[in-house]
């Protein structure tokens, strides 16, 4: 901990109550300073805070029910916590239920770095209303991220999480399998590319070039041992963030073993100012 580097990671943990032991064990082994988590799948009251506290981490979590949920765990400070972003689109699970801003975004400043943990909506199918919700959600996030960067261009800013988009054909194991599906459609890829146009960079890809380099493998049909995955987890950095990145990796080994998440952690190392 400390020194001249900051180690920051993102991980869709697919239920923190199920995998808290795996997560905290990896945090200790990998010497991670800040972890953005997605799909915690619990309310704030249900989040297993104690194991993180015992390791020296503060945690900002937002969870409304057994779905979604995002968090940031930091052992280098956790300041200016923000739940959601301006004009974040709302979603209703049923026609007779009022739309709400789901637990999909939380931001905090950690050792001078502004970190956002993001769980982008899945989209389900191209004909589902959830697909339009996904595109609207991404557009609203891009507008906010552009403003955040413009307001504080010298502050390193990381948009980290499960983006539920494979930006290139190399980011899926077989494009034919995804013909007519979400995650690879042109509108989704254009929405992802809009962040690049706004000045953000995929800071991990230069250290983990593809094809065949993935962050997610479905539990079914032996997708992981067959290396049939997708690259959908990213850390997009502002220019001030990108300038400090010295190393990045996808920690594929954490997809192995007992009761893994279906995602692997994505880790970057930064020079401290």
């Amino acid at each position: 901990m400390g020194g001249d580097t900051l180690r920051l990671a993102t991980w869709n943990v697919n239920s923190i109550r199920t995998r808290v032991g795996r997560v905290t064990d990896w945090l200790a082994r990998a010497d991670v300073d800040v972890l953005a988590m997605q799909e915690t799948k619990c309310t704030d009251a249900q989040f297993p805070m104690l194991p993180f506290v015992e390791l020296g981490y503060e945690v900002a979590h937002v969870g409304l029910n057994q779905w979604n949920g995002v968090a940031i765990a930091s052992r280098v400070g956790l300041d200016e916590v923000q739940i959601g972003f301006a004009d974040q689109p709302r979603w209703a699970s049923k026609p007779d239920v009022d739309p709400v801003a789901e637990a999909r975004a939380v931001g905090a400043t950690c050792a001078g770095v502004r970190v956002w943990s993001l769980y982008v909506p899945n989209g389900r199918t191209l004909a589902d209303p959830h697909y339009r919700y996904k595109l609207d959600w991404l557009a609203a996030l891009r507008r906010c991220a552009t403003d955040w960067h413009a307001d504080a261009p010298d502050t390193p800013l990381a948009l980290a999480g499960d983006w539920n988009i494979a930006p290139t054909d190399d980011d899926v194991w077989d494009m034919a399998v995804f013909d007519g599906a979400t995650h690879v459609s042109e509108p989704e890829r254009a929405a992802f590319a809009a962040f690049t146009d706004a000045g953000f960079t995929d800071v991990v890809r230069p250290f983990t070039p593809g094809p065949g380099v993935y962050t997610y493998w479905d539990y079914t049909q032996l997708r992981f041992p067959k290396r049939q995955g997708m690259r959908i987890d990213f850390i997009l950095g502002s220019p001030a963030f990108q300038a400090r990145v010295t190393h990045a990796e996808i920690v594929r080994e954490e997809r192995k073993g007992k009761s893994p998440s279906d995602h692997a952690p994505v880790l970057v190392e930064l020079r401290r100012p």
Side-chain angles (χ1 to χ4, degrees), residues 87-173:
D87 299 323
Q88 180 177 325
R90 295 170 175 262
W91 175 255
S93 57
K94 297 178 182 178
D96 57 345
V97 175
D98 290 335
V100 298
E102 295 184 299
R104 293 184 177 273
V106 61
T109 300
C110 309
V113 177
R114 189 65 179 166
V115 180
W116 278 88
S117 179
L118 303 166
Y119 180 43
V120 175
N122 178 281
R124 300 177 182 170
T125 71
L126 300 185
D128 195 291
H130 208 259
Y131 179 72
R132 171 47 54 188
Y133 167 57
K134 178 180 188 174
L135 296 177
D136 291 345
W137 200 95
L138 286 161
L141 175 63
R142 180 192 53 76
R143 290 192 296 270
C144 283
T146 301
D147 290 341
W148 297 333
H149 173 49
D151 291 343
D154 295 331
T155 298
L157 170 59
L159 308 176
D162 177 357
W163 289 75
N164 271 317
I165 297 171
T168 77
D169 289 357
D170 284 346
D171 295 330
V172 297
W173 62 275

Side-chain angles (χ1 to χ4, degrees), residues 30-51:
D31 197 28
V32 174
D33 295 302
V34 182
L35 176 64
M37 290 173 274
Q38 302 84 42
E39 273 204 285
T40 57
K41 294 184 176 180
C42 64
T43 65
D44 291 346
Q46 294 170 326
F47 188 93
M49 196 72 68
L50 186 58

Side-chain angles (χ1 to χ4, degrees), residues 102-263:
E102 295 184 299
R104 293 184 177 273
V106 61
T109 300
C110 309
V113 177
R114 189 65 179 166
V115 180
W116 278 88
S117 179
L118 303 166
Y119 180 43
V120 175
N122 178 281
R124 300 177 182 170
T125 71
L126 300 185
D128 195 291
H130 208 259
Y131 179 72
R132 171 47 54 188
Y133 167 57
K134 178 180 188 174
L135 296 177
D136 291 345
W137 200 95
L138 286 161
L141 175 63
R142 180 192 53 76
R143 290 192 296 270
C144 283
T146 301
D147 290 341
W148 297 333
H149 173 49
D151 291 343
D154 295 331
T155 298
L157 170 59
L159 308 176
D162 177 357
W163 289 75
N164 271 317
I165 297 171
T168 77
D169 289 357
D170 284 346
D171 295 330
V172 297
W173 62 275
D174 185 352
M175 275 297 295
V177 173
F178 294 89
D179 184 37
T182 59
H183 292 56
V184 300
S185 72
E186 286 307 313
E188 289 167 287
R189 287 179 168 179
F192 188 91
F195 287 86
T196 301
D197 296 339
F200 293 86
T201 301
D202 176 356
V203 299
V204 178
R205 195 180 294 266
F207 297 88
T208 60
V213 179
Y214 307 128
T215 65
Y216 164 84
W217 303 260
D218 193 271
Y219 289 126
T220 65
Q221 301 183 55
L222 299 175
R223 295 295 191 203
F224 182 69
K226 291 179 180 178
R227 297 182 176 271
Q228 297 174 346
M230 306 174 72
R231 188 197 289 246
I232 57 175
D233 302 86
F234 299 94
I235 299 174
L236 302 188
S238 67
F241 185 92
Q242 181 193 15
R244 295 189 189 176
V245 175
T246 59
H247 173 75
E249 62 185 279
I250 296 166
V251 192
R252 190 177 183 276
E253 290 297 306
E254 290 304 313
R255 179 60 175 79
K256 300 178 180 178
K258 183 179 179 180
S259 300
S261 171
D262 43 5
H263 295 250

Side-chain angles (χ1 to χ4, degrees), residues 42-79:
C42 64
T43 65
D44 291 346
Q46 294 170 326
F47 188 93
M49 196 72 68
L50 186 58
F52 290 90
V53 173
E54 289 176 337
L55 283 178
Y57 290 86
E58 300 175 81
V59 179
H61 175 261
V62 54
L64 305 179
N65 48 40
Q66 74 272 32
W67 309 110
N68 310 318
V70 286
I72 298 172
S74 171
R75 64 181 186 183
V76 292
L78 194 70
D79 302 313

